[in-house]
Amino acid sequence: MLQLTGRLGYLLSRRTVVVRNSGANITSHGQHHHEVSDPLDMSQPVYSDSLETPLPDRPWKDVLDSTDKNLKQKEKGPWNALSNEEKIALYRLKFHHTYPEMKRPSAEWKTVIGGMFFVFGLTGLLVFWQHLYVYPAQPQTFGEEWQAKQVQRMLDMRMNPVEGISAKWDYEKKQWK
Amino acid sequence: MFRAVVRLSTSGVRSLARTRPCNSVPLASRCYSHAKVETDEEFDARWVTYFSKPDIDAWELKKGMNTLIGYDLVPEPKILDSALRACRRLNDLASAIRILEAVKDKSGPYKDIYPYLIQELQPTLSELGISTPEELGMDKL
């Protein structure tokens, strides 16, 4: 669910995930259609998957059906009597994601890079449009002919004859040194 | 130059007159805090005692574990042993497995810490019947 929110999801801390509407709690809201999504009741302990907080404030599944209750009862006895499936079930009752699941890599970087290139492209189009429709024509002083005449004039008036441009021009041979 | 010497000597005389007799060697004193630093053994003992409380409740286990994992260290096997036994008293297998996952994550890039911990905790794990995440296949995605 969080992967779909893309950049929004990125804003939430990667290491701490507050998970809402866990397990059977959603049934308490019934068929109400709210205009905004149901706000998280922050007055109650909240479940969160976090690498730094291994034991959250609340178990993942609060409302237990009869099989869960039986399993919980069996948990009070020796744990050697539990099968692997039962142990996994007990874990999944209390926790949402395992540590490897919390640390799973996401494909978000593709969205980020793709979005970046898309924006570059849009900007490129914008710049090109600007070039066509916004900027006035280049002044004639930029043209090849004008530039050549300009340099010739600079040499003729002996501009910067010591260290600069006229010093680099060989007036006898009429070429650059 | 002579006048300068006189000036220096007069000022020197003045300062000498003011100073009280004291050590000629300057003392090397630093402004460190005088708080006592807890040794590793004291730290371990404190945490073992915390989790060994016979009537520990779920909140205290949670608080203890979350605090311990917040520290910049991987807990010693004896602390974890105490915590796992606390889980047993609370009939909470899931938290016991979670603790093992947490310390594996705490080890970070040092991959040989977790196998060492499991090796040290093996008697307790067998006694209490706690399976490691690896045994349950929960260490893979």
Side-chain angles (χ1 to χ4, degrees), chain B residues 76-135:
Chain B
E76 282 282 321
K78 55 172 120 75
I79 304 177
L80 296 174
D81 174 84
S82 189
L84 293 174
R85 289 183 189 281
C87 289
R88 174 66 267 193
R89 290 198 294 284
L90 289 163
N91 299 321
D92 192 353
L93 174 64
S95 294
I97 302 173
R98 189 74 153 184
I99 289 171
L100 295 176
E101 280 190 311
V103 298
K104 184 177 182 186
D105 179 58
K106 264 322 260 191
S107 316
Y110 301 99
K111 298 286 176 222
D112 42 4
I113 297 181
Y114 180 68
Y116 164 74
L117 289 172
I118 295 297
Q119 175 199 306
E120 293 294 310
L121 289 171
Q122 200 52 59
T124 309
L125 295 178
S126 314
E127 180 198 328
L128 299 177
I130 301 171
S131 302
T132 66
E134 288 72 36
E135 286 165 11

Side-chain angles (χ1 to χ4, degrees), chain A residues 142-158:
Chain A
F142 280 71
E144 276 291 336
E145 211 189 302
W146 187 289
Q147 285 282 315
K149 286 184 187 165
Q150 190 168 303
V151 173
Q152 184 58 62
R153 196 184 134 94
M154 279 152 69
L155 294 171
D156 290 343
M157 64 165 114
R158 302 294 193 273

